[in-house]
Amino acid sequence: MSDAAAWFAPREPGAPRGSLALRLRRRARHLLRQDRKAMEQAVGQAQELMTRLAPLDGAAFAQRVAQTRLAFRRARADRSAGAPELTEALAVAAQAAQRTVGLTASIPQLMAALAMADGYTVQLAPGEGKTLAVAMAAILQAWDARPCHVVTANDYLAARDAKLMQGLFTLCGCSAASVTQELPREQVGPAYACDIVYATAPQLLADFLRDQLLLGGAQSPVQRRLWRLRGGAGGQPVMRGLYSAIIDEADGVLIDEATTPLIIASPQSNPLMVRATCAARELVEQMERDRHYRVHVQEGQDVRLTPEGEDWLDEVAGELPEFWQTPDRRENLICMALLARDVFQRDRHYVVQQGRVVIVDENTGRLMPDRSWSHGIHQAIEAREGLELTDPSQTAARMTFQDFFRRYHVLSGASGTLQGIAGELWSTFGLLTLRLAPRVPSRLRTGERHVFRDREGKLAALVQEVGRLHGEGLPVLVGTRRILDSEAIAERLAEAGVDCEVLNAKKHAEEAEIVARAGANGCVTVATNMAGRGTDILLEPGVAEAGGLQVLSFESHESARIDWQLFGRSGRQGARGRAQAFIALNDELFERHLPWFAWPLVVLAQGAPAARGPLAPLLVAAAQWQAQRRSWSARRSLAEREEQVVQQLSFSRVG
């Protein structure tokens, strides 16, 4: 197989990424120590070389870039972390950044770029400049003349970063573009033809699945040539293949959204399904919770009928269309209607815009207008909201993000929150994790927890604290998990005479403006999770000296990492800051995920106010441990199923 053929075909999910993927974790740690030492030496040499490159004029430096690029590509077969070609390439890229975008790469940024170019995930403290580090790593990947995909958290960041670094890429001889939902379809192919492509994970996966449908499963260069010789009907694929991917906010894509499937589907008219959904919506109004059915909040918000509920449904089954009167079908239909009524919440899981149900991504707080729930849930929610029902979709292609990114030959990324997941990144993706210290020690004050018996007490205390900080002229960022909570807090603040900005999925268009003002003196911002992963809250003069940005968390998340994503909005690059957590003993985190053996502690905390403070860290840690244990188990099971599918579809050659 030619060199091009070796990287053009997607890597099979079950295939090891070299011998490294077969070694024990102890060996991995040993390799990490060796590589880190080599990287530190290479960065020191790169900094020395940068000083020698600085006096070169434009023409001389451009010639040096071309020479370095050629030498770098020739040394592809033997390019360790300490290789001179890699060191020079890093120095040239960093010097080019200084000349074009005016940014001087720091030691952590140089280390991060080198590590990502070598297939590492890097934990880089918030505010340390992942954008530049990712761009330099992308240049090193693109110099191999293979497609490099840079994965961003949203379309705004994809377009922003590609435009921001365009001068750097041009000077380094690389073409770059962004692929977003707004990009006209006829421009998608030319964008993917560039050396470096910025896009979101859903965009990349959707385009990959569309190409697979178009090619009928042909993946290798030979299969694609045969496909073209047969006529290649239906257009041309847009992607050049899956070689390298650099994921910004890697934990969000590889962990939090790992099991989320992206489905390519087409609407299929089904009037009978519409009638049945409307009939089920009327029937569930007669059902009583805990009598006819139960909602199992600790098992993925599952709904199950009780024996009495099954008997009742048997009696009223005649009110459903005949096709839906069989036991399995009618029970599934009714459970969908119950999920729409009792589990899926408006302004949390979805919003209604222009007569349409639009899904809200719970991890990012952003709208997903082009997605819909499957198995009839979407139509059940539309019926619940009294909207016109859309046609149910017929699945044409389906893949999870975990399966998709395991197909890249070289995978890397960066994030400020990789705590506690290094083992999973290694076992699932073969990724080593390098943790880098910040340039300046953090001065962020954390660990303050205020514990209350119920949500109302927590809300009142939070509003009081916001008013106090606002009165001192400090900027305040209040983080919530739900749109509904952000609006409730804003309403209570207005009653208290405190003006605030609200940032949630309903105000997606104003995100950049709201984040830009969030660091002003006395500014109060109430935001869901969408508040700015990848964007900096800039402080007005004098704010840092007065105490910095004040972050208040209204509710803990299932993962401590996501809590730290909010806390990390403050105290960047050594600035002062403070983060406080407000906790109620009836928070959903406890109701859904607290282990049975920890509930006596909740009872104790309810009755003894003096015990709430000391017990709060234990309760939060126990609930988050349980939540992450379940999530990890789901991701592991998914990976095992994908491995089994690969083995079942493979064959052995005899002789």
Side-chain angles (χ1 to χ4, degrees):
M1 183 179 289
S2 68
D3 181 62
W7 60 261
F8 197 93
R11 175 182 173 274
E12 287 300 328
R17 190 173 277 106
S19 61
L20 196 65
L22 302 177
R23 300 180 183 272
L24 298 174
R25 189 172 299 177
R26 181 182 302 174
R27 176 59 178 162
R29 288 196 294 266
H30 176 68
L31 291 173
L32 178 58
R33 287 193 295 269
Q34 285 186 325
D35 285 354
R36 187 183 190 109
K37 184 177 180 180
M39 289 177 193
E40 290 172 348
Q41 294 176 347
V43 166
Q45 295 169 0
Q47 286 185 306
E48 294 178 5
L49 182 56
M50 287 170 62
T51 60
R52 297 200 298 269
L53 294 173
L56 297 179
D57 60 22
F61 182 73
Q63 184 178 4
R64 183 62 177 269
V65 170
Q67 293 172 350
T68 302
R69 181 182 180 183
L70 181 60
F72 180 83
R73 188 174 180 185
R74 285 175 174 170
R76 178 188 302 160
D78 181 21
R79 193 190 297 150
S80 61
E85 294 82 7
L86 184 58
T87 301
E88 183 173 351
L90 180 65
V92 166
Q95 179 61 218
Q98 195 168 1
R99 292 174 180 240
T100 54
V101 295
L103 298 175
T104 301
S106 65
I107 291 178
Q109 287 174 316
L110 293 170
M111 283 283 290
L114 197 61
M116 285 186 283
D118 199 29
Y120 275 78
T121 50
V122 180
Q123 182 169 320
L124 198 61
E128 290 294 313
K130 291 194 299 293
T131 302
L132 176 59
V134 167
M136 291 190 295
I139 290 170
L140 300 184
Q141 293 288 4
W143 275 2
D144 276 338
R146 297 164 172 175
C148 176
H149 298 158
V150 178
V151 185
T152 62
N154 55 64
D155 282 346
Y156 165 74
L157 293 176
R160 185 202 71 176
D161 292 353
K163 183 177 180 180
L164 179 65
M165 297 295 166
Q166 193 62 242
L168 168 61
F169 294 143
T170 301
L171 180 56
C172 291
C174 301
S175 58
S178 61
V179 178
T180 63
Q181 292 184 11
E182 290 76 20
L183 189 68
R185 198 62 195 166
E186 63 273 12
Q187 298 179 22
V188 173
Y192 274 114
C194 292
D195 300 315
I196 301 169
V197 179
Y198 281 77
T200 64
Q203 183 71 51
L204 291 168
L205 179 49
D207 289 333
F208 174 77
L209 291 178
R210 292 190 189 102
D211 282 355
Q212 294 305 297
L213 289 172
L214 178 66
L215 294 166
Q219 296 181 354
S220 71
V222 173
Q223 290 174 322
R224 291 195 176 200
R225 292 191 192 101
L226 291 174
W227 175 81
R228 290 190 179 95
L229 289 173
R230 289 195 296 266
Q236 294 295 320
V238 295
M239 300 183 81
R240 291 198 293 142
L242 305 181
Y243 180 70
S244 70
I246 304 173
I247 306 176
D248 193 6
E249 310 299 356
D251 55 325
V253 175
L254 300 181
I255 300 296
D256 299 329
E257 299 179 9
T259 58
T260 302
L262 191 140
I263 300 172
I264 300 295
S266 57
Q268 186 178 37
S269 179
N270 191 338
L272 190 61
M273 175 68 174
V274 172
R275 283 178 49 207
T277 302
C278 293
R281 187 251 184 272
E282 299 298 327
L283 284 177
V284 297
E285 294 303 317
Q286 306 172 38
M287 301 181 71
E288 299 178 16
R289 186 167 179 168
D290 296 328
R291 178 187 171 192
H292 296 106
Y293 66 96
R294 292 189 179 91
V295 179
H296 297 265
V297 295
Q298 293 191 342
E299 298 180 21
Q301 298 282 44
D302 189 21
V303 172
R304 298 176 189 172
L305 298 184
T306 64
E308 183 177 352
E310 293 176 354
D311 293 340
W312 175 85
L313 183 57
D314 186 48
E315 295 175 3
V316 301
E319 299 182 31
L320 297 172
E322 185 176 356
F323 180 79
W324 296 93
Q325 291 180 11
T326 60
D328 288 344
R329 288 173 183 161
R330 72 193 182 205
E331 183 173 338
N332 179 72
L333 186 68
I334 291 297
C335 285
M336 293 302 103
L338 291 170
L339 283 169
R341 186 183 72 174
D342 290 10
V343 174
F344 287 88
Q345 302 172 17
R346 183 170 178 169
D347 290 339
R348 178 187 175 185
H349 299 104
Y350 66 92
V351 297
V352 177
Q353 289 187 342
Q354 300 177 345
R356 296 176 57 240
V357 169
V358 182
I359 299 174
V360 176
D361 186 334
E362 284 201 83
N363 290 319
T364 65
R366 301 179 186 279
L367 296 180
M368 300 188 290
D370 296 327
R371 295 199 199 179
S372 62
W373 285 294
S374 58
H375 306 297
I377 293 178
H378 205 88
Q379 287 70 33
I381 294 173
E382 290 171 334
R384 183 70 194 168
E385 293 290 344
L387 305 175
E388 181 180 355
L389 270 63
T390 57
D391 290 329
S393 299
Q394 182 178 24
T395 300
R398 181 183 187 277
M399 185 177 290
T400 65
F401 291 109
Q402 178 172 285
D403 186 6
F404 175 61
F405 283 106
R406 280 157 57 92
R407 293 171 182 264
Y408 278 87
H409 292 260
V410 179
L411 188 62
S412 61
S415 176
T417 51
L418 296 178
Q419 303 96 319
I421 59 173
E424 183 173 351
L425 290 174
W426 166 255
S427 62
T428 304
F429 300 97
L431 288 170
L432 290 172
T433 300
L434 180 68
R435 293 181 175 85
L436 298 175
R439 286 172 285 180
V440 183
S442 175
R443 297 165 64 193
L444 176 64
R445 292 169 52 194
T446 61
E448 295 182 65
R449 291 183 171 90
H450 309 282
V451 190
F452 307 89
R453 292 186 62 180
D454 53 33
R455 180 182 183 277
E456 182 57 34
K458 178 175 69 169
L459 179 58
L462 181 135
V463 170
Q464 182 179 2
E465 178 68 4
V466 171
R468 185 185 70 80
L469 295 170
H470 174 70
E472 295 178 3
L474 293 170
V476 181
L477 172 64
V478 180
T480 72
R481 296 182 59 183
R482 306 175 186 85
I483 298 172
L484 201 60
D485 286 338
S486 67
E487 295 176 342
I489 293 171
E491 184 178 345
R492 292 288 289 269
L493 287 173
E495 293 173 357
V498 178
D499 294 330
C500 70
E501 296 269 16
V502 178
L503 175 57
N504 56 37
K506 295 181 179 179
K507 294 191 175 182
H508 171 72
E510 297 94 340
E511 178 180 359
E513 297 176 7
I514 294 174
V515 171
R517 295 191 296 266
N521 290 297
C523 181
V524 177
T525 307
V526 183
T528 57
N529 293 350
M530 70 182 292
R533 287 200 81 176
T535 58
D536 286 330
I537 296 178
L538 302 179
L539 303 180
E540 279 191 354
V543 169
E545 293 75 14
L549 180 66
Q550 307 292 298
V551 175
L552 309 182
S553 168
F554 186 65
E555 186 173 353
S556 298
H557 292 77
E558 278 83 0
S559 170
R561 288 183 300 99
I562 303 179
D563 289 337
W564 275 102
Q565 290 167 14
L566 173 64
F567 296 160
R569 310 304 302 151
S570 179
R572 295 193 166 205
Q573 300 184 28
R576 292 176 63 187
R578 183 183 176 196
Q580 306 176 59
F582 287 72
I583 301 167
L585 295 177
N586 62 351
D587 280 345
E588 183 179 326
L589 174 66
F590 300 140
E591 293 181 349
R592 289 190 60 185
H593 300 293
L594 195 66
W596 63 269
F597 55 81
W599 276 106
L601 298 180
V602 177
V603 176
L604 177 61
Q606 288 279 11
R612 292 175 191 165
L615 287 177
L618 295 175
L619 293 173
V620 172
Q624 290 180 335
W625 171 82
Q626 179 81 316
Q628 289 308 294
R629 177 174 169 271
R630 289 170 175 164
S631 298
W632 174 78
S633 178
R635 293 189 293 269
R636 182 183 61 179
S637 298
L638 174 64
E640 290 174 351
R641 288 197 300 270
E642 290 168 351
E643 298 277 357
Q644 290 172 359
V645 169
V646 171
Q647 293 173 4
Q648 291 168 358
L649 295 178
S650 63
F651 61 91
S652 301
R653 180 175 297 175
V654 179

